[in-house]
Amino acid sequence: MCGIVAVIGSREAAPLLLDGLRKLEYRGYDSAGIATIESLEKVKKGSLTSRKAKGKLTNLSSLVDEEGSSGHIGIGHTRWATHGKPDEINAHPHMDQEGKVAVVQNGIIENYRLLKEELEAQGIKFASETDTEVIPHLISRELKELKSKGFDSNGLTLLTAVQNISTLLKGSYALAVIWVETPDSLVVASKEAPLVIGLGESEFLCASDTPALAGFARTILPMEDREVALLTPLGIELYNSEGIRQQRTPSLLTGVEHVVEKKHFRHFMLKEIYEQPEMADLWIARHFPKGFAEKAQVALPFDDSFYEPIEQIQIVACGSSRHAGMIGAYLLEQFAGIPTAVFYASEFRYAPSPLTPNTLVIGVTQSGETADTLAALTMEVNRREGQKDTAYQPRLLAITNRVDSSIARKVQHILDIGAGLEVGVAATKTFLAELLAFYGLTIAFASHKKSKTDIEIKNFIHEIQSVPHYLREVVQKHDQISEVLAHQFSGTKDVIYLGRGINYPIALEGALKLKETSYIHAEGYPAGEMKHGPIALLDPHVQVISIANPGIVFEKVLSNSQEAKARDAKLIGIAPESAELEIFDKILPIPEVSELISPLLTVIPMQLLSYHIAANRGLDVDQPRNLAKSVTVE
Ligand code: F6R
């Protein structure tokens, strides 16, 4: 994770860097820092200033206001700690011993211990516990070496130094480097980590993600893997890993929302929960335009050749996106009849299942930047491309909220979930949008594979079309119910969520939302699995939340809930109002809908309860501790 920005041009760098970092804060907020160089003309000698602060960006902004930071070139970083505690000493930028080279980095240098030992043996003293710090020391050593060979202090020398030391680095990284001796040159490099150059008017801004470029650049140049670039006020020189100069036409920066307001909501998370009915309305309008529902069809951007060869599906994803994938797998198997398996992307990467022919591999990621998901897909492409039999060729689909992201550049097919920018770190509306994408895909496969009759598909579509109406009702109602109920959780330490069938992933999602926003220990289980061990955890202090939606597993969930009740656990049911279920101490009512579409509604009380419990505890709901919105490290 972490966000990096770098700027060179005619304006003061610090305000541009801080503005860029503000837009990247979703990538990490453990600490932030900037370094700038004042130009040679002004002070006859380059002068490098670094400002760093622990915690959120506001701390850094105040520091820069107090102490200043001048110069037209600079680099900035917002950190999600990997190596070393989230304190000031480990905040980026990191420097060489003489304070001449400054570096910001996003990624992980996997062999940093070896490199550090080697540098320490040469007398280098390290100031931080980070993996990144080896980079400025290596660059500094390389610059000295190059200068001893007659290289001048210019941008190309800095570029050469970065190119040379990059062969020593294992892992993935995006980095930006400045050198006090070249106040008109900025070098950026990327390996398996995103970096985009924005082209302004005689200035360039480079960042981990496009939102940081909004308002600065209209055209962008996304860097490709293992590229290194030299940026000067005069232009960009881009080189590939073999050192060959690259010429690429910049593309237009599109689809970036500039301003996102909280409006009257206390937190973005609550606002985004409230946005879900309208988002579902828009999704339905886009995917079931006039005449489509009547013809049992869904409008997706794929032609027949996309669906026809597919015999099985594999889904790779992380966190909430994996939970959405699990519901997708249930739908694809139970409604469209396609064998589908779901994997943790981080596990699949190192232990993939044996290759199967005619397999669609779906990466689900709202950010489009999750390193584990990207790596799993890269691995899949590599092993499939080596196969002679065309049945094994890679067929990759991304379900994402960011059509301009790294995943979009990796796959042949994209399904845009169109949720709009999500600011709250805990996924809410993007989760629901991913679910909707899976409903659309399921209908498309069912119709192409004729696994359901037109009547069955039409009925399913009509049910989906009723969802926004129900969502409106459920969001309103549960906002009020959860606000009151949250007080009962003030001393709660453990919560267990139970669900079965298509609602089992919602139990997992409920537990994840509560953990990440309120820091309460929570687990989700398939209700039938409780008796095989987890039931030992139950006592009167444990809160159990059970999803009991009428359908094939309704009675089973009720029996499993009874078993929890018999162990004195406090029991809340997410169930239809009409179901008069006296076993529950409290019912969180949901409309009576078919089991297949129920996850679109049962997730709402989960989201709102987590939100209100966290808000009631006075926690930082939108930016919970230790998390980031885009997880770009393995
Ligand atoms: C949970 C959450 C995370 C993400 C996970 C994957 O609220 O936000 O679990 O779902 O990090 O992120 P994406 O979807 O960007 O790949």
Side-chain angles (χ1 to χ4, degrees):
M1 5 268 233
C2 304
I4 69 171
V5 283
V7 69
I8 181 158
S10 48
R11 287 185 277 170
E12 277 295 323
L16 292 170
L17 292 171
L18 290 172
D19 186 53
L21 289 178
R22 189 174 52 76
K23 294 168 187 159
L24 291 181
E25 208 179 9
Y26 69 88
R27 297 174 76 93
Y29 31 82
D30 288 334
S31 64
I34 60 169
T36 52
I37 301 180
E38 209 163 354
S39 75
L40 280 167
E41 288 82 7
K42 274 193 191 160
V43 290
K44 302 282 180 249
K45 186 170 165 293
S47 142
L48 199 153
T49 313
S50 168
R51 304 275 179 251
K52 305 182 195 191
K54 185 179 169 176
K56 300 261 172 86
L57 187 63
T58 55
N59 300 345
L60 176 67
S61 300
S62 313
L63 187 72
V64 173
D65 282 348
E66 271 167 40
E67 299 184 0
S69 180
S70 56
H72 295 171
I73 176 172
I75 55 179
H77 189 269
T78 179
R79 179 168 189 247
W80 183 82
T82 57
H83 297 67
K85 286 205 175 71
D87 52 26
E88 199 187 311
I89 222 97
N90 292 319
H92 298 217
H94 290 288
M95 306 239 205
D96 66 330
Q97 281 198 134
E98 290 100 35
K100 289 183 165 186
V101 174
V103 172
V104 288
Q105 194 254 146
N106 164 38
I108 291 185
I109 307 305
E110 286 168 1
N111 59 337
Y112 85 100
R113 275 196 198 84
L114 272 178
L115 295 168
K116 188 170 176 175
E117 274 167 28
E118 182 195 316
L119 288 159
E120 280 175 336
Q122 292 168 0
I124 305 288
K125 298 251 175 313
F126 277 72
S128 78
E129 302 154 333
T130 65
D131 54 336
T132 301
E133 199 190 332
V134 295
I135 302 173
H137 294 306
L138 288 172
I139 294 174
S140 170
R141 187 179 75 179
E142 187 63 21
L143 284 169
K144 284 178 195 142
E145 179 73 22
L146 291 172
K147 282 171 84 174
S148 74
K149 290 182 184 156
F151 280 71
D152 290 335
S153 293
N154 60 33
L156 276 175
T157 303
L158 181 60
L159 179 97
T160 309
V162 173
Q163 280 169 325
N164 291 353
I165 68 107
S166 67
T167 59
L168 305 174
L169 306 177
K170 292 216 171 85
S172 56
Y173 53 80
L175 51 94
V177 188
I178 50 175
W179 181 27
V180 78
E181 294 186 17
T182 53
D184 56 356
S185 302
L186 170 69
V187 172
V188 290
S190 116
K191 181 183 164 221
E192 294 164 23
L195 210 48
V196 190
I197 302 170
L199 289 75
E201 279 172 28
S202 29
E203 55 188 3
F204 299 99
L205 193 136
C206 186
S208 303
D209 200 356
T210 49
L213 305 173
F216 176 91
R218 304 190 70 155
T219 48
I220 57 167
L221 202 59
M223 286 181 69
E224 286 180 7
D225 199 26
R226 293 167 196 261
E227 282 186 337
V228 184
L230 169 64
L231 311 180
T232 70
L234 301 178
I236 304 173
E237 287 182 33
L238 191 64
Y239 296 87
N240 70 7
S241 57
E242 273 109 54
I244 299 166
R245 181 110 183 239
Q246 305 293 296
Q247 300 289 350
R248 268 205 308 279
T249 314
S251 51
L252 270 181
L253 175 62
T254 52
V256 176
E257 286 158 78
H258 291 219
V259 191
V260 189
E261 302 291 346
K262 240 186 272 178
K263 298 198 176 143
H264 60 279
F265 292 96
R266 214 172 125 202
H267 296 98
F268 278 107
M269 182 176 174
L270 187 60
K271 175 179 173 255
E272 286 155 2
I273 292 172
Y274 264 88
E275 282 169 358
Q276 294 176 109
E278 198 189 333
M279 186 192 76
D281 258 337
L282 289 173
W283 185 87
I284 285 167
R286 206 175 319 132
H287 295 288
F288 299 110
K290 218 169 177 319
F292 270 67
E294 291 65 35
K295 280 190 266 162
Q297 279 174 2
V298 53
L300 294 187
F302 317 125
D303 59 25
D304 293 351
S305 64
F306 168 81
Y307 302 100
E308 266 148 26
I310 302 304
E311 288 165 5
Q312 48 233 317
I313 295 178
Q314 290 177 341
I315 298 172
V316 290
C318 308
S320 292
S321 290
R322 193 181 70 92
H323 299 154
M326 290 170 76
I327 292 174
Y330 189 100
L331 292 167
L332 287 160
E333 289 203 330
Q334 305 304 319
F335 195 81
I338 303 180
T340 306
V342 187
F343 300 89
Y344 286 102
S346 53
E347 292 293 314
F348 186 78
R349 181 177 178 183
Y350 296 106
S353 51
L355 276 184
T356 49
N358 301 318
T359 304
L360 177 68
V361 181
I362 308 180
V364 192
T365 162
Q366 60 79 24
S367 65
E369 300 294 348
T370 299
D372 288 320
T373 308
L374 293 176
L377 293 185
T378 306
M379 183 279 298
E380 191 62 10
V381 172
N382 291 344
R383 68 177 182 148
R384 282 183 180 272
E385 273 177 353
Q387 304 295 314
K388 284 201 186 81
D389 186 342
T390 55
Y392 289 89
Q393 72 185 61
R395 299 171 196 279
L396 260 52
L397 164 69
I399 295 184
T400 183
N401 200 30
R402 293 291 304 276
V403 292
D404 58 344
S405 61
S406 299
I407 200 169
R409 293 192 282 276
K410 215 174 254 304
V411 301
Q412 302 105 319
H413 306 286
I414 300 169
L415 201 46
D416 177 8
I417 64 169
L421 192 66
E422 186 174 68
V423 177
V425 163
T428 53
K429 64 173 179 170
T430 54
F431 175 78
L432 196 88
E434 287 172 351
L435 288 190
L436 287 168
F438 275 114
Y439 280 86
L441 200 61
T442 300
I443 290 168
F445 269 111
S447 128
H448 274 85
K449 301 280 179 194
K450 305 255 171 285
S451 46
K452 285 281 185 278
T453 64
D454 277 5
I455 303 280
E456 285 169 316
I457 295 176
K458 269 192 260 182
N459 288 342
F460 193 31
I461 294 175
H462 288 143
E463 282 185 316
I464 294 170
Q465 285 173 320
S466 69
V467 165
H469 159 77
Y470 287 131
L471 276 175
R472 271 187 189 94
E473 182 188 318
V474 174
V475 169
Q476 288 283 350
K477 190 185 271 180
H478 283 277
D479 188 13
Q480 286 159 17
I481 296 176
S482 302
E483 193 169 3
V484 176
L485 190 62
H487 295 278
Q488 280 184 31
F489 283 72
S490 52
T492 303
K493 293 209 163 54
D494 299 283
V495 182
I496 287 178
Y497 290 79
L498 301 180
R500 271 184 100 141
I502 197 165
N503 275 302
Y504 160 50
I506 296 295
L508 295 178
E509 180 61 8
L512 178 60
K513 282 294 87 92
L514 188 68
K515 275 186 261 212
E516 55 186 355
T517 55
S518 339
Y519 320 142
I520 295 175
H521 171 246
E523 300 297 337
Y525 289 107
E529 192 61 20
M530 271 301 279
K531 57 187 175 295
H532 298 289
I535 201 163
L537 293 170
L538 299 185
D539 67 25
H541 304 292
V542 177
Q543 179 71 65
V544 175
I545 301 180
S546 196
I547 309 165
N549 193 73
I552 45 171
V553 286
F554 185 49
E555 296 299 335
K556 307 282 172 201
V557 173
L558 292 183
S559 309
N560 301 140
S561 306
Q562 282 285 9
E563 291 154 14
K565 178 92 174 164
R567 270 80 189 175
D568 295 327
K570 289 183 265 173
L571 205 55
I572 291 177
I574 296 184
E577 218 150 2
S578 54
E580 288 181 16
L581 300 164
E582 65 284 348
I583 61 157
F584 295 117
D585 299 316
K586 168 132 194 98
I587 287 192
L588 301 180
I590 41 152
E592 197 154 344
V593 294
S594 84
E595 197 166 30
L596 274 193
I597 65 158
S598 63
L600 295 165
L601 302 177
T602 53
V603 71
I604 305 297
M606 301 293 192
Q607 296 173 341
L608 283 162
L609 194 57
S610 302
Y611 167 75
H612 281 295
I613 293 172
N616 197 38
R617 291 183 172 211
L619 297 172
D620 191 346
V621 181
D622 288 331
Q623 293 186 325
R625 70 183 182 203
N626 305 339
L627 301 185
K629 186 86 194 144
S630 185
V631 186
T632 59
V633 291
E634 200 188 335

